[in-house]
Amino acid sequence: MPENVSRSHDVFQKARHDFIKLAHKTEALLKKEKIKLTRQLKRANTRVAKEKDRLIAAEKRLEQKSSAAKKKQVKKIKGMLEKEKQMAAELREAMRPVSEKLKAVKDHVVSAHYFDRGMSKIDKEIESFFKKRDAKAAKKAKKKSVKKRTVKSKTIKKKAIKKKAIKKKAIKKKAVKKKAIKKKAVKKKV
């Protein structure tokens, strides 16, 4: 049973990281695509502006001197201008879905960000709980070992005191015996 729980925990953590990573990766890809399309649109707009300037210049020349070649050139420039405008419109159309997708992905990125922050806070709370629990257990173990040491040292001291008392008694007995023997010896001499 604990193995299943730990396996599920690992799968959850992996899925969490994958979700966050995928959200950021998708956002980055869509941003790149949007930047690329924006760059292309700017180029198309500058080409349209240049073609407009060329058309205006060609029309002025046509007004001054009207010739078939100049009419053909004006017509060609107008065709190119229309192509450039159409290309710019297509790029704008292509940017719309990318922008919409980017907005949707940003929502996911925000939720992933807050989800990650929330899970990080929870992980920190869990770690602090385990640290406190381990500290309490270590403190209890230390108290028990200190109690055992003090009990042992007290019993050792008691034993030492008893040994000293026994030695003193033995020494006193010897001294008493020696005195008694001396008294007997003194009495015998007298």
Side-chain angles (χ1 to χ4, degrees):
M1 197 70 164
E3 294 167 0
N4 292 340
V5 173
S6 65
R7 198 175 313 124
S8 297
H9 182 266
D10 294 341
V11 168
F12 171 73
Q13 293 296 338
K14 187 178 183 304
R16 169 184 150 198
H17 290 293
D18 288 345
F19 168 62
I20 293 163
K21 191 176 179 181
L22 181 65
H24 286 293
K25 188 176 181 181
T26 307
E27 182 189 29
L29 287 173
L30 285 172
K31 276 184 179 178
K32 276 185 181 179
E33 185 68 26
K34 187 175 180 182
I35 288 168
K36 180 181 166 187
L37 288 172
T38 306
R39 203 177 304 132
Q40 288 177 353
L41 182 63
K42 283 181 182 178
R43 286 184 194 141
N45 286 336
T46 55
R47 283 194 302 266
V48 166
K50 284 180 183 178
E51 290 298 323
K52 278 184 183 178
D53 291 341
R54 281 181 62 199
L55 179 64
I56 291 169
E59 285 176 343
K60 282 182 182 177
R61 283 192 303 266
L62 182 65
E63 285 177 10
Q64 290 172 358
K65 284 189 177 177
S66 185
S67 70
K70 289 183 181 178
K71 282 182 183 178
K72 195 175 181 183
Q73 188 182 20
V74 168
K75 192 175 181 183
K76 186 179 174 185
I77 292 173
K78 280 183 180 178
M80 288 179 68
L81 182 63
E82 287 302 316
K83 277 186 181 177
E84 293 297 329
K85 282 183 179 180
Q86 189 178 4
M87 187 183 280
E90 287 173 3
L91 285 171
R92 280 189 207 95
E93 286 297 318
M95 276 183 66
R96 282 192 186 114
V98 172
S99 297
E100 289 170 5
K101 287 178 185 175
L102 188 60
K103 283 180 185 176
V105 168
K106 279 186 180 180
D107 292 341
H108 288 297
V109 169
V110 168
S111 66
H113 175 71
Y114 284 108
F115 178 73
D116 187 40
R117 283 178 59 189
M119 290 304 294
S120 296
K121 282 183 181 179
I122 291 169
D123 288 342
K124 285 179 184 175
E125 286 179 19
I126 290 169
E127 283 181 26
S128 67
F129 169 77
F130 284 136
K131 284 181 181 177
K132 286 178 184 176
R133 185 189 68 183
D134 293 344
K136 283 181 182 178
K139 200 172 183 182
K140 280 185 180 180
K142 190 175 180 181
K143 280 184 178 180
K144 282 184 180 179
S145 65
V146 168
K147 276 186 178 180
K148 284 181 181 177
R149 274 191 251 141
T150 56
V151 169
K152 283 182 182 178
S153 62
K154 285 180 181 177
T155 55
I156 291 170
K157 285 179 183 177
K158 284 181 182 178
K159 286 180 182 178
I161 291 170
K162 282 182 181 179
K163 282 183 181 178
K164 282 183 182 178
I166 291 169
K167 280 183 181 179
K168 280 184 181 178
K169 281 183 182 178
I171 291 170
K172 280 184 181 179
K173 280 183 181 179
K174 281 184 182 177
V176 170
K177 281 183 182 178
K178 281 183 182 179
K179 280 185 182 178
I181 293 172
K182 279 184 183 178
K183 279 185 182 178
K184 282 184 184 178
V186 172
K187 281 185 183 178
K188 281 185 183 177
K189 281 186 183 178
V190 181

